[in-house]
Amino acid sequence: MTKSPALYRVILLVWAALFGLALLTTAGSLSREITQRPVAGVLALVTLLFIGYFWLNGIKDVLYTAWYYLVMRGRIRPVRRRKLHRHPPRVVMVYCTRNDFNANSLAASMKQRYTNVHTVILDDSDKPEYLTMIDIFAATHDVQVVRRENHVGFKAGNLNNYLTGADYDYFVILDSDEIIPPRFIRRMLDYFASDQSIGIVQATHVATRNVTRFQQKFSLGVDSHWPVYQSVKNRYGFLSLLGHGAMVSKQAFDAAGGFPLMVAEDLCFSLAVREHGYTTVFAPDVTCQEEFPVDYLAFRKRHSKWTQGNMEFIRKNTRPIMTSRQLHWYEKLDIVLFTYALPLTAVFSVFVVINVVVLPMMHASFQFPLWMLIPTVAFLVAPMVNDVVFHWARMAHTKLLSYSGGSMMLYGSMYFTSLRSSLKSMFGNSVFLVTPKDSTAISFREALRSTRSELIFAGVLAVISLVFTRSVFPVFLLVLPAMVAPYLMVRHQPTRAELHERQRGKVLQAA
C-alpha cells in the first residue's frame, strides 16, 4: 500500500493555526517579560513550547479518530484471497513463554487450516511447575521445545536463538495468551503474495477471556484501539510489529539481522526491517484474541515495561530515525508522537518544576490568556475520543461514562510509574518485565502499601504546590489519580469466584 502524508498535513495545519494564535496573543507579554526579566521570560517561553507539544499530541488523537470515521471507514479493502502454490511455504509458529504458559491458548492457535506448519515453544521459564507443564503439553501434541542456557536479550534473544538458522519461509509470533484464528496463516500469506516488499503482516486484536472485574472494566480500550489506530497508521503513519499476532518473512528477518536485543524488540525490529526496504502492513480482517492485564499491579508492570522499552528506543534510535532516507517525514513524526509520549513524562516534570516552583519563587507575573485553557482541557481528554466514538452505539452510555472516567484515573495514576521507569532507563538499563497472569485478593491496607510510592509522590507534589503557589490546582490532575490508585486496586480486584475460575483453568491446563 502506498502511504500518504495527507493526514499529517492536516494535523500540522490545524496545530499551526492554533499554536500560531497562542504565539500571537502572548508575543507582547513574552517580549516584555524577556526584556525586563530574561530568565523568567525564557522559562515562560519554554512553558509555551511544552503546551504546543501537548496540543500537537491532542490534535493527533482527535484527527486520527475523525479521519478513520469520516475518510477511511467503509473504504478499507483487505487484499483478495489467492490460491496457494503447489508447494506451500514452510511456516513455523513460535510461542514465547517465561513462567506464563497457557496450554489452552496454544492448543487453540495450533488449529490452523494449513498443512505445512509446525509449532515450537521457545521456553525461558525457570519455575519447575511451568517446565513440567510445557513438557507434558509438548509430548501430548508433538511440539518441539527449545530452551537456552542463558536468557540474554529477553524476548528478542529468545526468538533469535531459534530463528537464526532454522528452516522456514515465514514465522508467526505468539505470546503466551495469544489465540489466532484457524485461517490466520492462510490469510496472512495472501497479504505477502500481494506485494513482494512486505516483510511483516500484523493482525488486529480483541480482548477476550475477561474474567476479573479489572479486565471487564478496562479491556474495552483494546477493542477500539486496534482497528482504528492501526488502520490509520497503515496508510498515513509508521506501522510497527506489535509483538504478537503477526507473521514475518525469513527474508525480512535475515535482512534486519534478527531482533535487536532491546526491550521494545518489536518496534526496533520494525524500524530495522523498514531500513532494509521491507514494509509492515495491517490485516484488519484477521482478528486474534489477547488477554488484558488481570489487575492493577499487572497493568502497572506492563506500563513500566512499555515505558522502559520506549525510552531505550529513544536513546538508541533517535538519530537513525531522523537521518533515515527510507522513512518519510510524516512517518518520522508519527514515531515521535506515539513512541516518545510515555518516556517524555520525565521531561514533562521539568514543565511542572518550572511552573510550580521556579516561576512562583521568582514572583513572575506572566500569565497565559484564559482562552488557552479550553484547548488544553479538550486535548487532555483527547485520548478517550476514539473509545467513546467506537463504543457509543455498542454499550450503555452510563457504562461508557464510567469506563472513560475510570480510564482517565487509571492512566493518570501511571504518571509516577512512567517517571520512575523513564529515569531508570535513561540512566541505567531497561528491563523486560513479564506481565503477571495471576491475581490475588488484597486488603485496602495492602493496596496502600503497594501504592505507597504513588501516594508519597502525590503528597509531596501537593505540599510543594501549596508552598509555592498557595494552591493544589496546578498539580491537581497529577495528584488526584495517584491518590485514587489504592481505590482502583481494591475496587477492581478479583472476587473469590473469579480467582476460583482462573485457578480451575490452570488446573485443567496442567491436566
Side-chain angles (χ1 to χ4, degrees), residues 152-188:
V152 174
F154 314 115
K155 181 179 177 181
N158 195 13
L159 287 165
N160 292 342
N161 180 63
Y162 170 75
L163 292 171
T164 303
D167 186 22
Y168 62 90
D169 296 307
Y170 300 92
F171 63 89
V172 179
I173 304 176
L174 303 176
D175 273 358
S176 62
D177 59 351
E178 181 84 19
I179 297 179
I180 61 175
R183 292 188 62 84
F184 180 92
I185 293 176
R186 182 65 187 84
R187 191 71 184 106
M188 290 302 206

Side-chain angles (χ1 to χ4, degrees), residues 192-345:
F192 281 106
S194 69
D195 189 338
Q196 296 300 311
S197 69
I198 294 176
I200 305 170
V201 182
Q202 174 67 63
T204 190
H205 286 72
V206 294
T208 59
R209 296 153 290 167
N210 299 313
V211 176
T212 70
R213 284 184 290 183
F214 187 85
Q215 291 174 316
Q216 294 165 358
K217 175 80 170 183
F218 297 111
S219 64
L220 297 175
V222 174
D223 301 350
S224 55
H225 175 85
W226 280 87
V228 175
Y229 276 82
Q230 303 313 314
S231 293
V232 178
K233 278 177 164 290
N234 191 48
R235 182 76 171 89
Y236 300 99
F238 179 78
L239 183 68
S240 167
L241 164 69
L242 293 173
H244 58 286
M247 183 182 283
V248 182
S249 72
K250 180 176 176 58
Q251 290 180 333
F253 177 81
D254 291 341
F259 286 90
L261 301 183
M262 298 173 69
V263 173
E265 85 293 329
D266 47 3
L267 178 59
C268 299
F269 178 71
S270 303
L271 183 62
V273 165
R274 184 78 167 84
E275 286 300 305
H276 286 83
Y278 292 93
T279 60
T280 302
V281 299
F282 182 57
D285 59 324
V286 183
T287 304
C288 305
Q289 302 176 44
E290 65 178 1
E291 284 190 1
F292 197 76
V294 293
D295 57 20
Y296 184 91
L297 292 175
F299 182 89
R300 187 173 66 181
K301 197 166 188 177
R302 188 185 71 169
H303 189 85
S304 177
K305 185 195 78 170
W306 284 358
T307 304
Q308 291 184 60
N310 285 7
M311 177 58 79
E312 183 184 35
F313 175 82
I314 290 172
R315 286 194 290 109
K316 297 186 177 181
N317 289 286
T318 294
R319 184 174 180 179
I321 289 171
M322 297 307 163
T323 58
S324 171
R325 294 185 178 181
Q326 289 286 344
L327 293 171
H328 298 295
W329 66 265
Y330 51 91
E331 291 181 282
K332 297 178 182 180
L333 181 56
D334 193 66
I335 293 173
V336 169
L337 293 181
F338 278 95
T339 308
Y340 288 41
L342 283 179
L344 282 180
T345 302

Side-chain angles (χ1 to χ4, degrees), residues 387-405:
D387 290 347
V388 172
V389 174
F390 184 90
H391 292 290
W392 185 260
R394 293 176 168 85
M395 59 190 298
H397 294 169
T398 53
K399 183 179 179 181
L400 181 57
L401 179 63
S402 175
Y403 159 76
S404 300

